[in-house]
Amino acid sequence: MSGEFRQYLYPHDHPRLAEVRGLDPYAYREHARTPGTFTGGLVEGWTPLYLDEFRGVTEDGVLREGLYPLAPAEPGEEAPVEQMVAAATDLLAALDDDGRKQISFPVDAPEWQTWANPEFMQFDTGLRLEFQPQQVRDKALALVRASLSPEGYALTTAMMQINGFLGEVVDLASVLNEWSYNIALYGDPDLRAPWGWQLFGHHAAVNCLVVEGRMQLSPVFLGAEPDEIDAGPRAGLRDVFADRITLGTQLMAALTGEQRAQATVYAEMVDPAMPPGRVHPGDERHLGGAFQDNRVIPVEGIRVAQLPGAARELALRIAESFLRLLPDGPRRARMREVQQHLDETWFCWIGGHAPGDVFYYRLQSPVLIAELDHHCGVFLDYDTPQPFHVHTVLRTPHGNDYGRAWVRQFQH
């Protein structure tokens, strides 16, 4: 129901909002680091993980070799590299020398791993768009548009727009606005050699690399609180994750009772049977979020190959819904990878599975992890997950997040 989130608004003078109101992103960053606070605890837990050398997410701690051979894109699977190079060159031309230095990193720089999805700026990597002139903002988004599918661009910018809307609703525009995002470039824009870009901030983080006409788009974090805009010039934007949510409940409905029980690893979103730490203060049930680049995520639930044909098809449609950010060619390439590993793909579920329920699910294979989770309130006042607060994460396991497996092959 539209506007449901409004019953959970904090009073304007509530300390949760009043303590932050008026702080700029840099002052708020220091405030967020305060030891003993919710955000301070997140920073403390995440900071040492960033320092780890990148290996990649695995299901058992062992990296599989040979999953991502570097070869030029197959015909019909090419990334739009020419238009991406043109857009990146345009962006660089709009910056002064300091700006170009600030936005640019080596293609294999550890700064790739500084992205984060909270509203506080733990790492100020690249350029902060809210402090750039409109021309630079426009050219940054032109690069994103040149790289993604039309649907992917619309979804990514919807996260930014909803963030600005949330800032207006709770009167925290200095911390939550449409431009409170960082953009960075990695490597030199080139038709063949590896390079890419990164955009990240509250509820939106996209990492994109191209090499030899191929594209890797991960990690990707997209989320929204609320999942709509119900007032102002953009009113009517709503249910931004409807496809991913509906496909999940449809898949569960397509299972037998026994299969549903097998897929359901916990019946409740916060379940007494969960081991300590299974619900993270920031990520909640997500396992592949920010700074989890080397996490071991064991498979759980049920093998997709065991499912009825209709359910297997829905599992593939879930994968495609997460990969829809990719342009047509690279999306075809990624779906081909996913289908090749369907026998090793698992699906798991936490929570209820009727329409309107809150839940978590994960589709996991050697080449893809897709997660969706309903969350508790952050800037709205509720302490149980609600349908209008959604987080989604996409990962490429076994070392090809950030296209790193390809970059290493190109360099050697």
Side-chain angles (χ1 to χ4, degrees), residues 29-95:
R29 177 172 65 173
E30 297 311 310
H31 174 81
R33 289 172 173 167
T34 305
T37 62
F38 170 69
T39 52
L42 295 181
V43 172
E44 187 179 2
W46 282 334
T47 298
L49 298 177
Y50 157 63
L51 298 173
D52 290 345
E53 183 181 354
F54 176 83
R55 294 180 69 248
V57 173
T58 62
E59 63 275 6
D60 57 7
V62 179
L63 279 171
R64 284 176 58 167
E65 300 296 327
L67 284 174
Y68 309 106
L70 179 60
E74 299 281 336
E77 293 182 355
E78 300 93 344
V81 182
E82 280 189 38
Q83 64 196 57
M84 291 174 64
V85 168
T89 304
D90 249 12
L91 171 58
L92 288 166
L95 301 172

Side-chain angles (χ1 to χ4, degrees), residues 211-232:
V211 55
E212 296 283 15
R214 306 186 71 178
M215 177 182 284
Q216 186 58 273
L217 200 68
S218 75
V220 174
F221 181 106
L222 297 174
E225 180 195 30
D227 64 344
E228 66 166 326
I229 295 177
D230 72 345

Side-chain angles (χ1 to χ4, degrees), residues 361-393:
Y361 69 66
R362 182 169 78 255
L363 186 69
Q364 179 172 357
S365 85
V367 295
L368 176 135
I369 294 177
E371 297 181 283
L372 181 144
D373 194 21
H374 287 105
H375 274 229
C376 298
V378 176
F379 285 100
L380 301 174
D381 187 14
Y382 49 94
D383 56 11
T384 57
Q386 295 294 329
F388 54 78
H389 188 178
V390 184
H391 285 193
T392 68
V393 172

Side-chain angles (χ1 to χ4, degrees), residues 88-290:
T89 304
D90 249 12
L91 171 58
L92 288 166
L95 301 172
D96 60 18
D97 287 347
D98 284 347
R100 280 189 286 273
K101 186 175 179 183
Q102 205 174 332
I103 201 173
S104 301
F105 297 88
V107 72
D108 54 359
E111 280 80 4
W112 273 114
Q113 295 156 240
T114 59
W115 72 269
N117 54 280
E119 79 289 348
F120 60 86
M121 182 173 50
Q122 185 170 345
F123 291 96
D124 186 21
T125 303
L127 295 177
R128 186 77 168 178
L129 289 177
E130 64 189 298
F131 300 125
Q132 296 301 312
Q134 191 63 44
Q135 180 196 24
V136 171
R137 297 175 183 178
D138 290 345
K139 289 184 183 299
L141 286 191
L143 172 58
V144 177
R145 186 194 291 270
S147 308
L148 304 184
S149 67
E151 312 99 294
Y153 179 76
L155 187 59
T156 301
T157 52
M159 304 300 100
M160 300 168 72
Q161 292 162 7
I162 289 172
N163 191 56
F165 171 69
L166 176 62
E168 292 169 10
V169 168
V170 300
D171 191 20
L172 285 180
S174 65
V175 170
L176 303 165
N177 65 75
E178 190 175 339
W179 300 104
S180 46
Y181 295 85
N182 284 46
I183 190 161
L185 299 180
Y186 294 87
D188 298 319
D190 190 276
L191 293 175
R192 218 190 119 240
W195 70 278
W197 56 265
Q198 170 184 68
L199 176 78
F200 72 92
H202 189 219
H203 277 156
V206 181
N207 295 279
C208 177
L209 180 126
V210 285
V211 55
E212 296 283 15
R214 306 186 71 178
M215 177 182 284
Q216 186 58 273
L217 200 68
S218 75
V220 174
F221 181 106
L222 297 174
E225 180 195 30
D227 64 344
E228 66 166 326
I229 295 177
D230 72 345
R234 293 194 174 109
L237 179 65
R238 58 176 305 194
D239 299 330
V240 287
F241 296 110
D243 60 337
R244 300 178 186 191
I245 289 166
T246 302
L247 288 167
T249 54
Q250 285 177 341
L251 194 159
M252 288 294 276
L255 304 182
T256 66
E258 186 180 339
Q259 288 169 333
R260 264 196 302 277
Q262 198 177 336
T264 304
V265 288
Y266 299 105
E268 299 175 35
M269 293 292 268
V270 180
D271 197 297
M274 287 175 170
R278 179 60 188 89
V279 179
H280 181 273
D283 287 324
E284 298 200 17
R285 283 145 296 275
H286 273 306
L287 300 176

